[in-house]
Amino acid sequence: MSIEELKKELLGKEFPSEVRIGPDQLVTNVELFLNTSFQMAAAWTKDIEKCPAYIRLVRFHEAVTK
């Protein structure tokens, strides 16, 4: 899934106040998490699939679409 696809799926929508994206990762401020993660992914210059922020965004998407 591309960054643009993730933006279309995630931005402008309402989510629970807390979203668990992994056994050791809990998002407690969704808006800040999304804004920061998309900024970090945009600044990444290497293979996007190796970007930690991109990986967290994909995990977030999986968590909220289940």
Side-chain angles (χ1 to χ4, degrees):
M1 180 169 263
S2 73
I3 292 294
E4 290 305 315
E5 290 172 322
L6 284 168
K7 283 182 179 180
K8 287 179 186 174
E9 291 286 324
L10 298 175
L11 295 180
K13 296 187 179 173
E14 300 234 354
F15 297 105
S17 60
E18 293 186 345
V19 178
R20 182 161 300 279
I21 62 173
D24 60 339
Q25 296 176 320
L26 178 66
V27 176
T28 57
N29 185 332
V30 173
E31 184 178 346
L32 179 62
F33 167 79
L34 291 174
N35 288 336
T36 304
S37 296
F38 280 119
Q39 288 176 0
M40 292 172 66
W44 187 261
T45 58
K46 300 176 186 173
D47 182 10
I48 194 66
E49 293 187 2
K50 294 181 180 177
C51 174
Y54 171 79
I55 293 168
R56 288 189 295 271
L57 285 166
V58 170
R59 288 181 182 164
F60 182 88
H61 180 262
E62 290 171 354
V64 296
T65 56
K66 287 184 180 178

